[in-house]
Amino acid sequence: MTTGRKMATMRPPASVAGEADSLEMALSNGNAIPPTASLRTKLHGRAFYESIGSPKFILAPMVDQSEFAWRMLSRSFMDPSSPQDLLAYTPMLHARLFNDTPKFRHNHFQPLRAPLASHPPSPPGGEVYLDGNPSFDRPLFVQFCANDPDELYHAAKYVTPFCDAVDLNLGCPQGIARKGKYGAFLQEDQSLIFDLINKLHKELDVPVTAKLRILETREKTLAYAKNVVSAGASIITVHGRTRDMKGHKTGLADWKVIRWLREELPREVVMFANGNILCREDIDECLRETGVDGVMSAEGNLCDPAIFANAPKVGGEGREYWRGRDGQGGWRMDAVMRRYMDILYKHVLEVPLPDRRPLYLPSDPQPTPISEPPRENGNKRGRDPETADAQTPPKKRQKSEKKEKTQNPNLLAMQPHLFHLLRSLVSKHHAVRDALARCRAGDIAAFENVLQMVEAVVKDGLKEYDVSDGKSWEDELKADARLKTVPQTKEPDKNVEAEAKEGVDGRYESSLETVRKCKRPWWVVQAYVRPLPKEALAKGSLTLSKKERAAKLEEQKEGEVVPNGHVERERAGSGKEVEVPKEALVCGCVGAVSG
């Protein structure tokens, strides 16, 4: 059995080292070939982690959502002097499809301009392009889901020249993972998990890592983690939720279990934590409470791609960052969307950036109004009616000239990303929401139009805030329906704050505190706080299945008597004997503190 000890390696000869130095200089232009196994030493565990800069901020692997352009947007907010502080993962890739289907491979991973028709030689030929480009997309881990060691190995061979490590997905809880037997649905087959990781550890040119979820007990989770490490994983990421915690049942991740694992595993084991990360403060708190090496964010990053970055200092906000009169602030939505679009223009479409005006600031001098020239012939649209028909193709021609649907993952992800990013803005400005909903993948002009609409409404919001001296935002905050709602506990006369005084962690009872902490004006990127399962049940957005209702009823029956109590039969007033619990009688408080 392979252990998690550091692998013995040999220093490359001087000739190889010199070749590597020359190659490193060539990489500065972004068009050279990345270093491969023949030019770099394979490290393991903490030595490997330190070799990539010991990053503490981790952009999670997300299906169709952590693609190149989004990674670049997240990296763009980091300090240029230390880009290695952010480690990013590709979206999860299906190993069998990636290995067997060239079209799938090219549509989901584009390290070279030419498709990866076969396993790349060492070093690979061709001009580097997007994914894993050593000039701007490193460090990078490529994640696969798989249930066959050979399929995983052959798929991983395609990507090893273009990444720093290959990761095995052991955490996907979705139904498709259950059907395909991968992700979190491998956790019952620990021997297969060992074989998958060990195959890569022994035969791949780069290290292997794994991302997993906690199990029902600490002890089972620890045995699981030890199995992954002993198989050869250099880094493990622990998501502090079980497989069943998803959707409306997501709930809170358990940092205490992660902390316990960190204390039980050797320090040589590098650990990342995942779960409960909505803002930068959560990252710092997670590092303190769990003791892990790095913190991973998924949904928090989708809502705020600058989540890993520090806010500008007071006075250094510029036009992209907004700070209110109370000192709180965030990155402006128009600025972040513009930055995202510019990345797509530059790297994906490879066209010049459009000419745009600087983003609006209330301190800008008022422009001199320009009178609009009169329109001729009474034409409202300003077009010559004689040439209008010639410029507009007939309907049949329009149908025949439909554009081919794009398969570029960076363009396919634009609309979902923007709905995440602009969530609070589009919930208020429905015209922007509707325009974004009409956008089609690859229609960059339509998305540019949405950007102009976003810039216009953000300008109006900033103007109103400035004119009202901040009162417009204060009034909106007071009118927020969710902040007005204080969820009730099982005892109607007690709310969450009262329970907190009694020693109950209010975070496990209500998301109200988190909503208050994360809430910002609608023109600022901000976290979306999911209602906790208890709140979703009360609201009606979550219903229990028959099996869950039966289990809950059984729990309630068992909760009426604390273990070690007993039951006695007493005669009621009617003369009928009934069972009465004695000594350990509980008056409904078991459920109240179960969070």
Side-chain angles (χ1 to χ4, degrees):
M1 180 179 296
T2 304
T3 65
R5 297 191 303 271
K6 180 178 176 180
M7 294 178 60
T9 56
M10 296 181 61
R11 185 177 180 84
S15 60
V16 175
E19 186 179 353
D21 291 340
S22 300
L23 184 61
E24 185 176 348
M25 294 176 61
L27 290 178
S28 60
N29 62 13
N31 292 322
I33 302 303
T36 61
S38 63
L39 298 178
R40 61 183 175 184
T41 303
K42 180 177 177 179
L43 300 175
H44 183 74
R46 192 159 297 278
F48 162 66
Y49 177 60
E50 292 171 354
S51 74
I52 60 173
S54 303
K56 294 188 179 299
F57 309 118
I58 321 297
L59 173 55
M62 297 173 282
V63 177
D64 297 332
Q65 295 282 274
S66 58
E67 79 293 341
F68 168 82
W70 192 257
R71 297 195 301 268
M72 287 296 294
L73 178 62
S74 300
R75 294 185 193 276
S76 72
F77 292 98
M78 304 303 292
D79 188 337
S81 64
S82 53
Q84 73 280 0
D85 288 348
L86 177 60
L87 162 64
Y89 285 63
T90 66
M92 182 189 76
L93 304 172
H94 194 290
R96 179 174 53 80
L97 291 175
F98 193 86
N99 188 51
D100 296 346
T101 313
K103 186 175 181 181
F104 178 90
R105 191 162 58 241
H106 182 62
N107 288 340
H108 289 83
F109 193 70
Q110 300 172 344
L112 304 175
R113 291 191 180 276
L116 293 174
S118 60
H119 288 146
S122 182
E127 182 184 356
V128 294
Y129 184 34
L130 300 178
D131 296 292
N133 190 310
S135 293
F136 40 69
D137 192 27
R138 293 292 184 91
L140 178 70
F141 289 4
V142 177
Q143 188 188 68
F144 286 101
C145 66
N147 55 23
D148 181 278
D150 289 330
E151 284 182 350
L152 176 60
Y153 170 72
H154 289 296
K157 286 280 286 182
Y158 281 102
V159 304
T160 50
F162 314 104
C163 66
D164 297 283
V166 170
D167 185 79
L168 176 63
N169 183 313
L170 297 172
C172 182
Q174 304 304 323
I176 191 171
R178 178 195 294 272
K179 184 178 180 181
K181 196 189 176 185
Y182 59 80
F185 297 94
L186 290 178
Q187 63 192 31
E188 283 80 18
D189 194 342
Q190 290 292 317
S191 62
L192 175 57
I193 290 175
F194 182 93
D195 292 341
L196 288 163
I197 296 172
N198 195 241
K199 174 79 172 179
L200 300 191
H201 174 58
K202 287 182 175 180
E203 301 184 29
L204 209 60
D205 294 334
V206 298
V208 57
T209 66
K211 182 174 184 289
L212 55 105
R213 286 179 173 246
I214 62 174
L215 302 182
E216 295 78 14
T217 68
R218 289 184 173 190
E219 292 72 21
K220 288 182 179 180
T221 306
L222 178 59
Y224 185 9
K226 285 183 175 180
N227 182 52
V228 170
V229 171
S230 66
S234 283
I235 298 174
I236 60 170
T237 301
V238 181
H239 189 159
R241 295 184 176 95
T242 64
R243 185 172 62 192
D244 296 328
M245 297 173 71
K246 58 186 177 180
H248 286 302
K249 300 178 184 178
T250 298
L252 290 171
D254 194 338
W255 285 357
K256 293 179 181 179
V257 172
I258 298 177
R259 175 75 186 192
W260 184 77
L261 288 174
R262 175 66 283 177
E263 292 172 350
E264 293 295 319
L265 292 170
R267 295 305 301 177
E268 170 65 17
V269 177
V270 180
M271 274 187 64
F272 298 155
N274 182 211
N276 299 353
I277 306 301
L278 297 176
C279 59
R280 174 55 193 270
E281 291 76 15
D282 292 336
I283 296 175
D284 298 332
E285 184 181 0
C286 184
L287 287 169
R288 288 193 303 270
E289 290 197 13
T290 63
V292 295
D293 298 282
V295 175
M296 178 180 284
S297 175
E299 192 166 16
N301 168 264
L302 292 178
C303 296
D304 180 7
I307 190 172
F308 302 110
N310 292 316
K313 294 180 179 179
V314 176
E317 295 85 357
R319 294 180 182 270
E320 291 191 307
Y321 192 90
W322 177 87
R323 186 172 273 116
R325 285 162 172 75
D326 59 358
Q328 294 186 333
W331 295 89
R332 290 170 44 169
M333 287 190 176
D334 54 349
V336 177
M337 183 176 176
R338 180 183 282 196
R339 190 181 286 213
Y340 178 43
M341 294 287 291
D342 286 352
I343 287 170
L344 289 161
Y345 283 126
K346 179 181 179 181
H347 293 286
V348 178
L349 300 174
E350 297 182 296
V351 297
L353 305 184
D355 292 328
R356 302 193 187 100
R357 295 180 179 178
L359 294 172
Y360 168 80
L361 282 178
S363 58
D364 289 340
Q366 293 296 322
T368 304
I370 301 175
S371 57
E372 185 178 348
R375 292 170 178 159
E376 298 178 359
N377 302 322
N379 180 17
K380 293 183 180 180
R381 296 185 181 271
R383 294 191 300 173
D384 185 351
E386 294 182 3
T387 61
D389 290 338
Q391 294 173 353
T392 305
K395 291 184 179 180
K396 288 185 179 180
R397 191 185 305 169
Q398 288 181 0
K399 289 181 180 179
S400 64
E401 294 177 357
K402 282 186 178 180
K403 294 182 179 180
E404 184 180 351
K405 291 184 179 179
T406 181
Q407 296 299 318
N408 189 305
N410 299 286
L411 302 180
L412 289 171
M414 286 181 69
Q415 189 185 61
H417 274 313
L418 291 174
F419 269 118
H420 269 112
L421 186 71
L422 305 176
R423 188 183 189 108
S424 59
L425 185 149
V426 298
S427 65
K428 180 179 178 66
H429 297 278
H430 294 173
V432 180
R433 178 198 63 192
D434 296 343
L436 180 56
R438 289 192 296 268
C439 290
R440 294 295 175 262
D443 189 353
I444 201 72
F447 287 103
E448 184 69 27
N449 178 61
V450 172
L451 172 59
Q452 293 175 12
M453 296 174 70
V454 168
E455 291 177 357
V457 297
V458 169
K459 177 179 179 180
D460 292 342
L462 293 173
K463 271 186 178 180
E464 186 179 8
Y465 181 90
D466 189 60
V467 170
S468 67
D469 197 29
K471 192 173 184 302
S472 62
W473 165 236
E474 293 175 5
D475 292 343
E476 188 170 332
L477 201 59
K478 291 176 183 177
D480 189 283
R482 193 170 176 186
L483 288 177
K484 284 182 176 181
T485 304
V486 179
Q488 299 295 314
T489 65
K490 293 193 176 182
E491 294 182 40
D493 58 328
K494 291 184 179 181
N495 59 30
V496 172
E497 283 104 355
E499 283 192 346
K501 293 179 181 178
E502 297 177 4
V504 179
D505 191 345
R507 293 179 304 172
Y508 287 83
E509 295 298 323
S510 168
S511 60
L512 181 64
E513 177 189 346
T514 307
V515 172
R516 283 175 176 159
K517 180 181 76 171
C518 296
K519 188 72 175 178
R520 296 291 185 273
W522 53 263
W523 58 82
V524 171
V525 294
Q526 56 196 277
Y528 169 64
V529 183
R530 290 177 180 268
L532 294 176
K534 177 180 177 180
E535 297 169 315
L537 278 169
K539 190 178 178 180
S541 55
L542 171 64
T543 57
L544 298 178
S545 65
K546 290 182 179 180
K547 184 177 179 180
E548 290 169 330
R549 286 197 298 268
K552 186 175 182 180
L553 183 61
E554 190 65 27
E555 286 179 6
Q556 290 174 345
K557 289 180 180 179
E558 293 176 357
E560 291 174 357
V561 179
V562 173
N564 300 325
H566 66 281
V567 174
E568 293 182 358
R569 300 185 68 85
E570 292 186 1
R571 191 175 298 279
S574 61
K576 184 179 179 180
E577 285 191 343
V578 294
E579 292 184 346
V580 179
K582 294 291 185 179
E583 292 185 8
L585 182 64
V586 178
C587 301
C589 63
V590 170
V593 299
S594 62

